[in-house]
Amino acid sequence: MAAVLAPAPAVAGTTVALKLRRFGDRVDLVVSGLGSNPRLISQRRSSSRWSGRLRGTSSSALVVPQDVAMPSVGLAEVRLKAGADSDFELSVRAMEGMALPEPMINADGSNLIVSFRQLPIRTTALQSGRLDLSRPGRVQQPVVVPPMRARASAPPLGDIAVGSMLLSNRSYVLAQGPSVSLTLNNAPAKDALMSLARLGGYGFVYVGESDQDADQANPVGVTMAFRDERFDRALNSVLLASGLQARLDGQTLMVGTSVSSKTFGPQMSKVFRLNQVKVDKAADYLASLGASMNVINTITTTTGEPSSVGTSQLSNQASRSTQKTTKVETYGASVGPLIGLTGTTDTRLGTVTLVGDPQLIASAENYLKQLDLRRRQVAVKVQILNVNLNNDELLDSSFSARMGDTFIVSDSGTGHLNFGQAKPGGTAGSGLYGQGFSGVPGTYPNRGQVPQQRVIDPVVASQAVVNPVVQEQAVFPPQTPGGDPVLVPKLDSMGRPIYVPSSDPAAPQTLKPVYDANGQPIYVPSKDPAADQILKPVYDKKGRPVYVSDSNQYRQPDNSFYAYLEAQVVARNAKILAQPTLLVQEGQKAIVETGQDYVVNVYRDENGDTGTTSYTYEKENAGLTFEVNVDKIDDNGFITMNLYPSISIPIPAAQSSLSDTGGVQIYNFNRRELESGSIRLRDGQTLILTGVVSESQLEVVRKWPFLGDLPLLGSLFRRRQSTRSKDELVILVTPRVLDDDQGGVFGYGYRPATQQATQLMQKGF
């Protein structure tokens, strides 16, 4: 009778297809046939193009590339083609002059849906901002309404990288033999194991440790009873009850307290050079799994007593000696799958050397492969916009009028009225009308006259030139042989010294004041061109001062009216824009800092002994400081990170004098800082981290009572000043996870602003 063989089951394949659906201004790209768990692995996007890599199953297949176009909504080409393995490439290109919004990715279990909303979108050139003076603090900007997005959902669960391996139970001995019926009551475990080894036809070796005490050398007795039990279960039951370990090497059963590393055969030694993980971290990881890792520690020992105070440094060094010794230390967990494995590390080469059973080394190798994975990298693009809008308005009216003895002044909304030639006496008792910004319409002392003065040219005291003289002296012979002659001054009959002209040509002449017959100094005109002239009051015949009109004083004519109007609008627009892109590795941080150092504090130190003064300046950076800490990049394309942006603007500080700071200006900082905490973003997702808007308005009005409230004419009696300021800070963060398979020209979208930078990038790439 011939046997009939059943046909092998066929593996059904699924065909990948692309369909387009339109709902108003929304277009859905539906990709079917990717399996039960379709995913978008990576995507790239520009203003008019979008492409993404899709992941299907091993049975997914695309027969031919598919091309679809929908010009009515601005889509020039939608193309789906097969990639490497089970990946597929989906690309979308907009028509000329059109832009693509950011797509939304959804999955309904069997289909992957890529949705584009608000199509078509035409690209428009940016309009230059123009200040609207009628609405202070406002700048016309193009308004873009963001598209409606789907309801927020939690990140996917369970999509993690798993590395699994099967570990055999090394404490269980796979021995074969006849069924066993055994009853033991506090029997020695060594004798019971020896009997079981003889029953199974195995040799028996008891491996003892050299430092075991009597209780460990003679293990406690075991008590058990079983009938017709398998040989391996009976043997391992005795081992479990006694706390001993056994190892089957060929036909020999080795038993002892620690026989994991004991064998009759050769052991294996293997060296692993790690690429990503540090060797000390790998050693700690293997030690936590039970491996015995050896490390070398250097111990420095200093012997001898220090020298007494006052001795030289050389004798101090000679009295003490330093000795360095090395010691090998072993550490590791007492339990774990790698018990019996020994290892060491080398930091220079980044290697881990393992010695032990080949099976243990194979298990350790699998662990190291899972541990030595490359850290992911992310390119964090940050866009920071800080806008300051200030708008100041000033409307001021002042006037002055004189009608006879009546004076009226409106000085920036402050009214001054004076009746009569003088102002009533105040606390100072001056009786004068004060001076204001609009001039002085009041009267003056002495009817606006000042004392007359005449100019006297500078003079100096007359002096006579006297030639140099010396005191006359008489010469006498020396008192001792060979000595110097003796000089004695000559005196006249009244005992006064007698002076004669000096014969020294280098002797200076002297100046002697010249006096008249009355003993008064005689003055002559000064020949110094820099000498100041002297003003001397002029008096009449009766000794009274003579007054003349004051040409420096302003006097408002009678029956006059003067007015001026001041209107001013000041608009200021300050903008700080920064777009740094930071490349950060998982678990690392990056900092970018741009700006300029300014002095924020000055310390003055005066030395009383030398009379000198020194200054110490404290500086801080004003500008942009951005720090990003990437904590984790998971397998689902989510990046967990912390952001610390800071923007500071220097403002000159008010100070009494620059001499107190050594002639250096001190600044205060208008700083804006943000600490985001831990946030999670998807790959390519843009987050508006902050949109802080602060707006202030100050109105100051100064006016005359009642008159300042009149329509039209009231503007002559008041002063109005308006100040409006608006600050806005916007920070956008977009992380992009880098694919190690891509080249170095990862598309950051950077466009150089200069020709030299463009040439440099072309040469570098």
Side-chain angles (χ1 to χ4, degrees), residues 15-19 62-68 78-81:
T15 302
V16 180
L18 172 65
K19 295 185 295 183
L62 182 64
V63 180
V64 293
Q66 299 183 11
D67 288 327
V68 184
V78 180
R79 182 178 178 85
L80 178 64
K81 63 180 181 179

Side-chain angles (χ1 to χ4, degrees), residues 196-510:
L196 289 174
R198 188 180 300 111
L199 179 62
Y202 295 101
F204 183 82
V205 176
Y206 185 81
V207 182
E209 301 292 338
S210 59
D211 57 350
Q212 294 291 327
D213 54 19
D215 294 337
Q216 291 177 330
N218 299 295
V220 297
V222 295
T223 300
M224 61 184 62
F226 37 80
R227 182 186 297 273
D228 294 334
E229 187 62 68
R230 292 202 324 260
F231 180 80
D232 56 342
R233 292 182 59 86
L235 177 62
N236 287 279
S237 297
V238 177
L239 293 173
L240 180 63
S242 62
L244 296 175
Q245 298 179 359
R247 179 186 178 90
L248 189 61
D249 194 336
Q251 292 296 318
T252 302
L253 182 65
M254 293 187 295
V255 179
T257 57
S258 179
V259 296
S260 300
S261 59
K262 304 297 190 297
T263 181
F264 289 113
Q267 290 187 329
M268 177 183 289
S269 175
K270 200 167 186 179
V271 180
F272 301 91
R273 180 165 182 174
L274 305 180
N275 296 318
Q276 303 297 326
V277 68
K278 295 183 179 180
V279 292
D280 55 345
K281 301 297 182 182
D284 296 342
Y285 181 76
L286 296 178
S288 64
L289 296 175
S292 298
M293 304 303 297
N294 300 323
V295 294
I296 300 177
N297 293 330
T298 302
I299 302 175
T300 303
T301 305
T302 303
T303 59
E305 296 294 335
S307 302
S308 60
V309 178
T311 57
S312 63
Q313 184 178 2
L314 181 61
S315 61
N316 189 13
Q317 295 177 355
S319 62
R320 307 181 68 180
S321 61
T322 302
Q323 183 179 2
K324 293 184 179 181
T325 58
T326 58
K327 182 180 179 181
V328 179
E329 296 182 357
T330 304
Y331 67 99
S334 58
V335 295
L338 299 182
I339 293 292
L341 191 64
T342 304
T344 185
T345 61
D346 181 72
T347 57
R348 187 184 72 85
L349 296 177
T351 58
V352 175
T353 304
L354 300 178
V355 179
D357 186 82
Q359 184 179 0
L360 288 178
I361 292 182
S363 300
E365 182 178 356
N366 292 330
Y367 284 122
L368 290 177
K369 288 181 179 179
Q370 297 294 329
L371 188 65
D372 194 38
L373 296 178
R374 287 177 290 187
R375 287 183 177 180
R376 298 180 176 92
Q377 295 186 118
V378 59
V380 182
K381 182 180 180 181
V382 183
Q383 296 173 294
I384 301 178
L385 178 63
N386 186 24
V387 179
N388 278 115
L389 300 178
N390 295 321
N391 194 296
D392 299 337
E393 286 187 357
L394 175 63
L395 182 59
D396 186 12
S397 175
S398 298
F399 69 88
S400 62
R402 179 180 180 182
M403 293 170 288
D405 292 338
T406 302
F407 299 91
I408 301 176
V409 175
S410 176
D411 186 8
S412 299
T414 303
H416 304 272
L417 287 86
N418 188 70
F419 302 95
Q421 291 290 333
K423 180 180 178 182
T427 57
S430 61
L432 304 178
Y433 190 79
Q435 182 176 0
F437 292 101
S438 302
V440 183
T443 58
Y444 306 96
N446 301 309
R447 297 182 179 181
Q449 294 181 343
V450 295
Q452 184 181 4
Q453 293 177 326
R454 61 187 179 89
V455 179
I456 299 177
D457 294 330
V459 295
V460 295
S462 178
Q463 292 179 327
V465 179
V466 180
N467 294 324
V469 295
V470 295
Q471 189 176 358
E472 186 178 5
Q473 294 178 333
V475 180
F476 294 93
Q479 300 292 334
T480 59
D484 295 331
V486 180
L487 300 177
V488 178
K490 291 183 178 182
L491 304 176
D492 58 9
S493 59
M494 300 181 64
R496 295 176 298 184
I498 300 175
Y499 292 92
V500 296
S502 175
S503 61
D504 185 7
Q509 295 177 336
T510 58

Side-chain angles (χ1 to χ4, degrees), residues 661-727:
T661 61
V664 177
Q665 175 67 48
I666 299 179
Y667 292 85
N668 293 327
F669 286 170
N670 183 3
R671 182 178 284 108
R672 292 187 175 189
E673 296 180 348
L674 175 67
E675 183 175 350
S676 67
S678 182
I679 60 175
R680 183 182 65 243
L681 296 178
R682 184 185 288 274
D683 180 21
Q685 179 183 4
T686 299
L687 173 66
I688 301 178
L689 191 61
T690 178
V692 181
V693 178
S694 61
E695 186 171 358
S696 63
Q697 181 175 350
L698 178 63
E699 296 279 349
V700 179
V701 178
R702 188 166 56 183
K703 60 185 178 180
W704 286 44
F706 305 110
L707 296 178
D709 298 327
L710 294 176
L712 299 178
L713 293 178
S715 59
L716 297 176
F717 300 93
R718 66 171 176 258
R719 180 180 189 268
R720 183 176 65 87
Q721 184 176 6
S722 173
T723 301
R724 295 184 181 182
S725 63
K726 181 178 180 181
D727 298 335

Side-chain angles (χ1 to χ4, degrees), residues 180-204:
V180 178
S181 297
L182 183 64
T183 300
L184 300 176
N185 185 11
N186 200 20
K190 185 189 301 184
D191 297 339
L193 292 172
M194 187 180 299
S195 300
L196 289 174
R198 188 180 300 111
L199 179 62
Y202 295 101
F204 183 82

